[in-house]
Amino acid sequence: MSSGLGVEVVGIVNKLQDVFSAVGSSAAQIDLPQICVLGSQSSGKSSVLENIVGRDFLPRGTGIVTRRPLVLQLINRPAEKTDAKIDTSDDKAANADEWGEFLHLPGQKFYDFGKIRDEIVRDTEAKTGKNAGISPQPINLRIFSPNVVTLTLVDLPGLTKVPVGDQPKDIEKQIRDMVLKYISKPSCIILAVTAANTDLANSDGLKMAREVDSEGIRTIGVLTKIDLMDKGTDVIDILAGRVIPLRLGYVPVVNRGQRDIESAKPITQALEYERQYFASHPSYSGKESYCGTPYLARKLNTLLMQHIRATLPDIKMRISQQLQKFNTELASLGGPTADGNSGNIVLSVITEFTSEFRNAIDGVTTDLSLNE
Ligand code: GDP
Ligand code: NA
Ligand code: MG
């Protein structure tokens, strides 16, 4: 996956998750941040999320497409040793190692990501009607894959002011309340999306992000539709912090346009187009390494690493408490014998657990250079 969140974070999160599954649910759990997209309707929120994941599976398009929150849990799961391919209607051969599961359809595995999109549309309409209604009831989707970092992404309905279709008169407030519920969490990283062909000063996403993150410590500005800006204009002033400065800065991106969506342009082609766009544009060439989806993914990666570093001391503390409990149990069972071969199954299981556990957490600590 070319635009993913990087092997470093994948590796560390996986090690931590191994530690937790080894000690069971009673021990520490890593509280990974959720990444939420925030912005006006049609600003390109779903497109940005899809590019970050590197797979096509979200409904996108003109009008109000995202009408319920989509809570998307990416779950890293190592590939099985078989290379069995699953037959799907997709022209891309689906991989037996990558699939989606909806909370509302337990036990049903979707290997065809196009069918995942169809189901999102179907269930949205089932719960809200076809005519632009919205609902705070989230759609929960899990994607299992060797190519993702275990993480939660949330696609949110766009901020809007004017009711259309069947929408209630207080649609603006309803969407605001819904969105606030997600972005208020301190562990939420906010991608405040603004289309570059609109006025940044009027960006509803940025305004709302500031309400919940006034220090700007968890808000990244994302500028979409750079390719639709008037000739001779660019976002250099915004990137330089001369318009509305953001501590974590802005990332300009080029997503697929409506015509690309209609012609089903593959995501790999879209990412290559984006790369060439910035590299060859007179305003951005020379700065292209700070532009585009791969750079956005790297920025997110850095934020995630900081978050893991910040939470690790607490996790380590909870883990050593757990170890102490194990040791007490060990002692009460007679303690490990010198050759480690106690003949007592319970005892040897606990002993093994304890050392596996210690190794795993030591590994993570080393990766993060946290050895005191
Ligand atoms: P959302 O409503 O914020 O989730 O926006 P979508 O991701 O559904 O995008 C809305 C429309 O804008 C779609 O037709 C996209 O193809 C188009 N779009 C999004 N980002 C870009 C971009 O960077 N460039 C171009 N040309 N079109 C874009
Ligand atoms: Na849209
Ligand atoms: Mg959307």
Side-chain angles (χ1 to χ4, degrees), residues 40-47 59-66 158 225 258:
S40 305
Q41 189 192 303
S42 290
S43 54
K45 297 176 298 302
S46 297
S47 303
R60 283 160 292 129
T62 52
I64 313 157
V65 178
T66 311
K225 309 195 186 186
Q258 186 60 27

